[in-house]
Amino acid sequence: MPVTLSLHPRVQLSRERYRGVSQQITVSIIGATGYSGTELLRILVRHPRVALGALVAGNSAGRKICEVVPALWGRLDTVVQAYSPDAVAGSDLAFIALPSGEAMKIVPELLERGVRVIDLGGDFRLAEPGSYREYYGREHTAPELLPAVYGLPELRRDSVRGKQLVANPGCYPTSAILPLAPLLGAGVVERDGIVICSMSGVSGAGRTASQDFSFCEVNESVRAYRVGRHQHIPEIAAALAASAGGDVAMSFTPHLVPITRGIHTTISARLSNGVGAAEIENVLREKYGSEPFVRLTGSVPPEVKNVAGTNRADIGWHADEAGRQVTLLCVIDNLVKGAAGQAVQNMNILFDYEESEGLL
Amino acid sequence: MPVTLSLHPRVQLSRERYRGVSQQITVSIIGATGYSGTELLRILVRHPRVALGALVAGNSAGRKICEVVPALWGRLDTVVQAYSPDAVAGSDLAFIALPSGEAMKIVPELLERGVRVIDLGGDFRLAEPGSYREYYGREHTAPELLPAVYGLPELRRDSVRGKQLVANPGCYPTSAILPLAPLLGAGVVERDGIVICSMSGVSGAGRTASQDFSFCEVNESVRAYRVGRHQHIPEIAAALAASAGGDVAMSFTPHLVPITRGIHTTISARLSNGVGAAEIENVLREKYGSEPFVRLTGSVPPEVKNVAGTNRADIGWHADEAGRQVTLLCVIDNLVKGAAGQAVQNMNILFDYEESEGLL
Amino acid sequence: MPVTLSLHPRVQLSRERYRGVSQQITVSIIGATGYSGTELLRILVRHPRVALGALVAGNSAGRKICEVVPALWGRLDTVVQAYSPDAVAGSDLAFIALPSGEAMKIVPELLERGVRVIDLGGDFRLAEPGSYREYYGREHTAPELLPAVYGLPELRRDSVRGKQLVANPGCYPTSAILPLAPLLGAGVVERDGIVICSMSGVSGAGRTASQDFSFCEVNESVRAYRVGRHQHIPEIAAALAASAGGDVAMSFTPHLVPITRGIHTTISARLSNGVGAAEIENVLREKYGSEPFVRLTGSVPPEVKNVAGTNRADIGWHADEAGRQVTLLCVIDNLVKGAAGQAVQNMNILFDYEESEGLL
Amino acid sequence: MPVTLSLHPRVQLSRERYRGVSQQITVSIIGATGYSGTELLRILVRHPRVALGALVAGNSAGRKICEVVPALWGRLDTVVQAYSPDAVAGSDLAFIALPSGEAMKIVPELLERGVRVIDLGGDFRLAEPGSYREYYGREHTAPELLPAVYGLPELRRDSVRGKQLVANPGCYPTSAILPLAPLLGAGVVERDGIVICSMSGVSGAGRTASQDFSFCEVNESVRAYRVGRHQHIPEIAAALAASAGGDVAMSFTPHLVPITRGIHTTISARLSNGVGAAEIENVLREKYGSEPFVRLTGSVPPEVKNVAGTNRADIGWHADEAGRQVTLLCVIDNLVKGAAGQAVQNMNILFDYEESEGLL
């Protein structure tokens, strides 16, 4: 007998579908104990299509995952493994949630073994090894794979389908590209004079023992960092250029704010000549009106807490028509829509599941 | 075809069970927009047995719930109603999440209409109207219903079965009773000299506009409140006395700490004569060893963040055998195990579902 | 015998000066119990030139100030008064720290009685009653006094000298004008394409019981507000235009972040044609190199916590010379340099004291 | 001409006194860049009697202090030195603010050189080297100096006078001893059954890069630590025993809460036979009624934020006369009254200054 929840018709979670799609997939996580890896586990233990395979984390090998991640007590007691290609080889898919520079070392051998890969790091997002060298500070060891498809589903889902390797977008880029790309594509905003100002919670820095991220150094304070040189700049620029049909001139300034999770991005752009402010809403509604994970809040500024723990991006805006200036506001949870949730969304596309499966 | 997740054997979530139990139940929430009500919604929209009925909140009547509670966007667009017994009468169960004093006005008419009730407030927890008057400051209007069964499943599940009205325990009491009751019952700790010191996040105060709970008044500060007169004192005392087989002498001091959700309770008790410290672990493991929602951390102090968002209580302890003194530590999420999660746990008992259904 | 502290030569605090300047001044505070008023008290009780006169706060009249502001226990037990012009008439100076719209009702009668006034609110900052009406939502009742001198000492101290009425700048404007004004004045940045993005602690909202500023609504979240219509927009624009010698095209977006005090402002501006990035430092050092309350951090991003509790503004910057784009970063404590500290700085100018007196 | 502030008569800060006491003292700080050291600097740069001597910090040697501690910019540009006895030898007094185990290595040579020492660490608080070994985990290298006078001025000022070495009390102990000692001394509370529950901000852990104190690990959480074995236990027990005239039976449980500074301590004690609850107030008022740094709040629970940044301890209480149980509540700023402020208070005693000099 169908078990349906009293849901908004936009999202269907009908259990009959379980009978339609035959097998589950086996999924491994490489980097299972960092903040993104833990978020993946949180989502995947509830995903009806997923059987978890290897959980890999070098510094916890030999321990049960529920000992390392107390939130998983009583739910998962898989023993964490050290990485080896064989440990992962039997999986249909491997998520990689490691510091930049690590994924590129192991992705080739995983692909060779027929394992599909979704990389939550930045190693495969950029097209040019030169860009990668400039912003990440090292030589790319698998440049032949660059770039992998950039897994921003709301804009690229057709490109994601059928791929072996998906580059999961960065958190800041997700929050900046979602509001801007459609407006650039429709010529509603100009390609130059784009100013992006983002504020992120501290989990974006990863599970770290650095003094700079100690409680007393972060609490009751705000600071910008990596001004003008954050590694997300080239991928934002590339995605916006792709939508705009030409290079964009933008600046991006990230800031650390004393919350654990969440990103708030504020964008200033120039309203194109002859375009009315109403076009902003028209374009965004046309693009996102049916998307389960994008909510348009219009003139009501979105709030980080309203998307925390969800795979949703909320977008608001304000236009100064006389001043030909547009302010776009976007909030996401950096660990969900900015990382693990979006990665699972991409997984659902790769394996032809409903895109929102397991994300509610 | 069975769809099973790679779970710890302790918790089974086999979908075959859907075929075994026939109907869903219709559940209403009275007080759907407060913090507890919102938490109930968060859990119930994912509960496979529940069809949501009326969502009642006086101050939001006429608005869609997803407009009032942005976290529910795209998931639930039920229109909020004002309260009337008829609005709720068709439901199998109504949760009441209102300020104290409100539930007692409407529970009788709901019971008359055959609606089962789980009250998240304190109106039906105490046996004596005199106690209620003393601690809640008003006359009880339905004393004939006192007390309802006290819905602490790990200790009272057999009593909850088959009832029409369940008094869901308070948050602080849950965190104090869980560690203490078995030890008192087994005579491991004495009935006197019990000192309970609790720290709670601010959501415990409810959705309020009071100056006292404004950000600047709470942030970077700690304060005790209602010292010696908190309304949870009599229900803690009663539950402990029931387990101990006689009155207990206890003090309880609640404190406000600048987090949104969570409770940490520290208890000092006297180790009974002739009892070794090892008995603490023996008794707790015997009592809770198979419980899905109680995790024993032993000598590792439990942390609020490890239970946040879950229906779990983590309990740790330390014994000074020479000094005949025991320190018990318990953490819960005040909105989940301290309110909505425990209420759903009680619902599962009332309707013979697996007790952990919808709580993972 | 001189009592000197081992200080940086920039700031002299030689006690011999006490013998040089004869009288103290009597200072009243109207709105003594709000966050700005309390900050004024904190500073003034240590100011060697100040004898406190009337402390006025309507809602606490009749109570000792130390009962209303526990931080003043043992230091000040003046009885708070309700407002009347006579209560304040004997003072040399009155600070007004009231919600906007209140100061304009009482400033005329205070000036008539020969009391000098420094208004921490916005009633006298704008030149045009029309602007005031548009942004503050009411008719100005004393337009003949508009505008009062805009008390930003580092830029206007000569204008402040000798005045009877000083409009203390807003917090956000202080943090935006300080870095921008010299660069506009020197033609280093263009007058258009200025994008200002500010993040403020919650004390900027004032002592309020609004639900929007309750702990649970603000904690772990970020949100923009009053986008495109914040009342600080016209005063920022006016100050920048004055420095630039012509109108500026700017946008300003304020955000609320979960800290008690502090403002971080990030500004994007266009580097003028033919101007090298090095000019930014040259101009700022020339302008502020000797200022006791402005610290230039260069390429090191300034942090709110480093100025919290002080009257200092820290300014950092980054230039993309190829992209002709400049990012300016400025942090202040919204209650000190953004309100009370700057007000005392203006008081010191009015009465010919050393400008940093009492501010260390 | 006298320059007096409009102060409560309790505290006199008359400048005439400068002429009375001739010399200043030269003060060095060993461990100048940790949180306690920085707090000492903050206070001492404003102290009229102090000329700062050597600022010693191993890891910042060669850098200007204002570069390491941005709050001191424009106020102090002393170059930090590495430690050597000669660097400090010319000082009248040296404060030591180092991790435990470090002070005992250098105190003997400083005393030999005639430098008085106030140690903010725990090396000289305990009488027995065995106790030190048990709780601090190492052998004491200068046991002949144990114990130094325990510098809790409100209880021991006469003992502090004239000493060469003062052991500044720990933060938690200060907050527990102040309320309890007078009540034990007067026989108002019993010597056994004392339960101390303390909550501390994270700066109490020191300036550290440990993962355990990273923002994401501490934020939105509470945890107990070192349960039953915190190194402050023996010094609390010793101080209470000294006041009580015999050993006490107590437990002490510290907790970490997500604030930067502050301690809230809650104590449960047994009201002695035949003693009325009113005796609590009588004894505390008699003991502390004239003390500038102790405020009695009675039945109003004290709040950490009301003492933050000050050298004050606020004490409240509640008595259950029938239950023969007393709850005491005490708040301090762990870095001020719990460390640097109290150390300066002790310095003032050693050098016969007014005890509150520089602490307002």
Side-chain angles (χ1 to χ4, degrees), chain A residues 208-209 211 213 215 217 219 260, chain D residues 35 208-209 211 213 215 219 260:
Chain A
T208 170
Q211 168 73 21
F213 298 103
F215 185 85
E217 295 302 307
N219 191 39
T260 293
Chain D
Y35 292 138
T208 169
Q211 170 73 21
F213 298 103
F215 185 86
N219 192 39
T260 293

Side-chain angles (χ1 to χ4, degrees), chain D residues 119-165:
Chain D
D119 179 21
L120 277 70
D123 286 358
F124 293 94
R125 298 178 194 153
L126 305 180
E128 299 298 326
S131 248
Y132 186 80
R133 184 191 315 117
E134 179 185 353
Y135 280 92
Y136 287 84
R138 65 180 77 85
E139 290 301 316
H140 203 285
T141 57
E144 66 284 2
L145 296 173
L146 295 181
V149 62
Y150 193 67
L152 197 45
E154 289 77 13
L155 302 177
R156 303 283 175 89
R157 57 177 56 97
D158 291 338
S159 304
V160 172
R161 284 188 226 289
K163 295 297 191 299
Q164 297 301 312
L165 170 64

Side-chain angles (χ1 to χ4, degrees), chain B residues 15 21 51 60 85 177 190 224 253 256 273 276 332 352:
Chain B
R15 298 286 189 267
V21 179
S60 309
I177 297 165
E190 300 280 10
T253 307
L256 198 69
N273 283 337
I332 61 170
D352 285 318

Side-chain angles (χ1 to χ4, degrees), chain B residues 35 208-209 211 213 215 219 260, chain C residues 208-209 211 213 215 217 219 260:
Chain B
Y35 292 138
T208 169
Q211 170 73 19
F213 299 103
F215 184 87
N219 191 39
T260 293
Chain C
T208 169
Q211 169 73 20
F213 298 103
F215 184 87
E217 295 302 307
N219 192 38
T260 293

Side-chain angles (χ1 to χ4, degrees), chain B:
Chain B
M1 184 182 297
V3 174
T4 52
L5 310 179
S6 48
L7 289 180
H8 186 274
R10 176 168 289 141
V11 177
Q12 287 286 358
L13 247 188
S14 54
R15 298 286 189 267
E16 299 100 336
R17 297 186 68 257
Y18 293 161
R19 305 187 193 98
V21 179
S22 50
Q23 71 276 48
Q24 274 186 315
I25 53 171
T26 303
V27 172
S28 292
I29 303 176
I30 304 171
T33 57
Y35 292 138
S36 294
T38 304
E39 199 68 19
L40 276 168
L41 282 168
R42 181 181 77 79
I43 297 170
L44 294 175
V45 287
R46 306 184 74 149
H47 197 295
R49 312 292 185 165
V50 167
L52 283 167
L55 302 183
V56 173
N59 56 7
S60 309
R63 301 177 61 192
K64 291 184 187 177
I65 189 68
C66 51
E67 291 171 16
V68 186
V69 183
L72 291 171
W73 176 83
R75 305 194 62 189
L76 204 56
D77 61 355
T78 312
V79 175
V80 176
Q81 303 180 48
Y83 173 75
S84 75
D86 292 332
V88 180
S91 303
D92 295 293
L93 172 74
F95 289 105
I96 301 181
L98 296 173
S100 68
E102 296 304 314
M104 62 183 185
K105 296 178 191 171
I106 63 175
V107 161
E109 63 200 16
L110 293 173
L111 295 177
E112 278 168 28
R113 285 165 170 73
V115 178
R116 288 179 166 183
V117 174
I118 296 175
D119 179 22
L120 277 71
D123 285 358
F124 293 94
R125 298 178 194 153
L126 305 180
E128 297 300 324
S131 249
Y132 186 80
R133 183 191 315 115
E134 179 185 353
Y135 280 92
Y136 286 85
R138 66 180 75 87
E139 289 301 316
H140 203 284
T141 56
E144 67 282 1
L145 296 173
L146 296 180
V149 61
Y150 193 67
L152 198 46
E154 289 77 14
L155 302 178
R156 304 283 176 90
R157 58 177 55 96
D158 290 338
S159 304
V160 172
R161 283 190 226 287
K163 294 298 190 296
Q164 297 300 312
L165 170 64
V166 178
N168 210 48
C171 49
Y172 286 127
T174 298
S175 71
I177 297 165
L178 279 176
L180 269 171
L183 298 176
L184 283 166
V188 171
V189 298
E190 300 280 10
R191 290 196 279 129
D192 63 336
I194 295 174
V195 177
I196 305 170
C197 179
S198 288
M199 298 146 242
S200 174
V202 189
S203 58
R207 192 185 288 280
T208 169
S210 162
Q211 170 73 19
D212 288 343
F213 299 103
S214 68
F215 184 87
C216 294
E217 294 302 307
V218 174
N219 191 39
E220 292 300 287
S221 198
V222 177
R223 66 183 193 244
Y225 64 101
R226 290 188 150 264
V227 184
R229 57 192 186 85
H230 194 280
Q231 62 273 21
H232 286 169
I233 289 174
E235 77 179 83
I236 299 173
L240 297 183
S243 293
D247 281 350
V248 300
M250 55 161 268
S251 72
F252 168 67
T253 307
H255 306 73
L256 198 69
V257 290
I259 63 180
T260 293
R261 46 167 70 203
I263 282 178
H264 183 294
T265 290
T266 297
I267 300 159
S268 176
R270 305 197 295 119
L271 193 58
S272 299
N273 283 337
V275 175
E279 278 308 291
I280 301 168
E281 175 150 12
N282 293 342
V283 169
L284 291 176
R285 287 216 178 279
E286 185 183 338
K287 184 73 190 178
Y288 295 129
S290 307
E291 289 287 351
F293 296 120
V294 180
R295 177 171 86 119
L296 302 174
T297 65
S299 63
V300 176
E303 305 190 40
V304 163
K305 71 180 194 283
N306 287 341
V307 297
T310 79
N311 192 47
R312 208 173 75 213
D314 283 3
I315 299 175
W317 59 87
H318 170 87
D320 170 8
E321 212 171 282
R324 313 307 298 159
Q325 187 270 338
V326 176
T327 301
L328 305 169
L329 309 165
C330 181
V331 297
I332 61 170
D333 181 323
N334 61 297
L335 294 179
V336 190
K337 186 54 174 167
Q342 183 144 261
V344 170
Q345 206 181 339
N346 283 315
M347 174 191 86
N348 288 334
I349 294 174
L350 283 188
F351 292 91
D352 285 318
Y353 299 144
E354 177 152 351
E355 205 170 303
S356 57
E357 193 92 79
L359 285 166
L360 293 176

Side-chain angles (χ1 to χ4, degrees), chain C residues 173-198:
Chain C
T174 299
S175 71
I177 297 166
L178 279 176
L180 270 170
L183 299 175
L184 283 166
V188 171
V189 298
E190 301 280 11
R191 290 196 279 129
D192 64 335
I194 295 173
V195 178
I196 305 169
C197 179
S198 288

Side-chain angles (χ1 to χ4, degrees), chain A residues 35 201-204 206-211 213-220 257-260, chain D residues 35 201-204 206-211 213-220 257-260:
Chain A
Y35 291 138
V202 189
S203 58
R207 194 185 288 279
T208 170
S210 163
Q211 168 73 21
F213 298 103
S214 66
F215 185 85
C216 294
E217 295 302 307
V218 174
N219 191 39
E220 291 301 284
V257 289
I259 63 181
T260 293
Chain D
Y35 292 138
V202 189
S203 58
R207 193 186 287 280
T208 169
S210 162
Q211 170 73 21
F213 298 103
S214 67
F215 185 86
C216 294
E217 295 301 309
V218 173
N219 192 39
E220 292 300 286
V257 290
I259 65 181
T260 293

